[in-house]
Amino acid sequence: AFWLKNQLNLQHRILERMKDLGITPILPAFNGHVPQQLVDEVNGIEAEKADFWSGFTDPQLTAVNRLKPGSKFFKEIGEAIVIEQLREYSP
């Protein structure tokens, strides 16, 4: 919890400094990565395993679940993340 709180504080400081310098911050949006537990426990979720990533083929390094971009869960989770970012970082 301590590390996460410090990371959040750092993010706020970075964004404020960017604004002070006249830079409009752009935060990353949801890319579709979800944990295995979500895939296992949510009925109807449409996810696929990423089997190759940046030259890595070892399943221990690439066993990432990715929601299909057209799925309802991609849209719902993506919107929830953007709403939370706006709530956290908007003045």
Side-chain angles (χ1 to χ4, degrees), residues 53-83:
W53 177 74
S54 293
F56 295 101
T57 57
D58 181 346
Q60 293 295 323
L61 301 173
T62 62
V64 175
N65 294 298
R66 217 175 18 225
L67 291 176
K68 293 187 178 180
S71 74
K72 91 174 192 182
F73 288 105
F74 189 98
K75 184 175 190 252
E76 287 178 13
I77 294 171
E79 284 179 359
I81 288 171
V82 170
I83 288 168

Side-chain angles (χ1 to χ4, degrees), residues 3-45:
W3 183 85
L4 288 174
K5 192 175 216 177
N6 282 341
Q7 291 300 303
L8 181 60
N9 183 41
L10 177 60
Q11 182 67 38
H12 278 280
R13 290 175 46 212
I14 290 169
L15 293 174
E16 282 305 312
R17 184 66 177 135
M18 289 175 73
K19 291 175 190 174
D20 290 346
L21 294 170
I23 300 169
T24 302
I26 299 174
L27 298 174
F30 178 60
N31 61 10
H33 293 160
V34 293
Q36 184 63 47
Q37 184 177 3
L38 186 71
V39 174
D40 293 341
E41 295 181 7
V42 176
N43 290 331
I45 201 162

